[in-house]
Amino acid sequence: MSIFGNPGFSTRFGQEVRAKKITNSQTGQTLVEQPSTTAPQPPNLNNYSTLSAEGTAQNWLVGHQGEINGVIISNGTIVKFPPHVGEQLASIANIGNTIQAKGFGTRNRYGQILEATALSVNGQSVSLQPKAITSP
């Protein structure tokens, strides 16, 4: 597979690439980024349900600035969370750690994705609440 696009910052967790063109080297099929001709539609919230997942961390999902914003676990589930959660995980989580997540999302023939509302790593609960800003 070959990917042509714009790379994000490289970190120990990986690197985001904003793909403009993806080519399957075995079949020659190519996907090319196309500008949208219509405004994006808001998601249909009726398609979301309460989900949970457990598995070992296989791959971190990394944003354009190098922030961790999700993880793919061993059962194929994609678990998403806000960047401030990724900051916590950067110091406590590693590939192979056991991840347990509960949240809302969707499941279809391509897999499962959820936005975490509860998360633990190796049985240790991870706070999903942003840190309060205190003034001096």
Side-chain angles (χ1 to χ4, degrees):
M1 178 172 303
S2 66
I3 300 172
F4 171 78
N6 300 321
F9 292 101
S10 182
T11 69
R12 76 176 182 99
F13 301 102
Q15 180 177 21
E16 177 192 61
V17 174
R18 293 190 182 204
K20 301 223 180 265
K21 182 170 112 174
I22 302 172
T23 302
N24 181 324
S25 54
Q26 293 179 342
T27 66
Q29 290 182 308
T30 300
L31 294 172
V32 179
E33 180 183 42
Q34 298 289 322
S36 178
T37 58
T38 60
Q41 298 298 309
N44 180 350
L45 298 180
N46 293 327
N47 290 339
Y48 292 113
S49 57
T50 303
L51 298 172
S52 63
E54 181 175 351
T56 58
Q58 301 296 299
N59 291 292
W60 298 111
L61 301 177
V62 179
H64 201 63
Q65 299 298 315
E67 73 280 8
I68 302 169
N69 58 20
V71 62
I72 302 173
I73 60 176
S74 55
N75 70 1
T77 298
I78 297 171
V79 178
K80 299 288 285 179
F81 40 76
H84 70 272
V85 174
E87 290 173 15
Q88 292 177 65
L89 294 180
S91 63
I92 65 168
N94 293 296
I95 296 298
N97 287 160
T98 299
I99 306 290
Q100 292 178 308
K102 293 181 182 177
F104 61 91
T106 188
R107 179 183 304 131
N108 60 33
R109 64 185 174 141
Y110 301 110
Q112 176 173 286
I113 185 168
L114 68 88
E115 182 72 28
T117 56
L119 184 68
S120 70
V121 176
N122 292 333
Q124 178 183 350
S125 184
V126 176
S127 174
L128 298 177
Q129 299 301 316
K131 290 183 180 178
I133 299 174
T134 57
S135 56

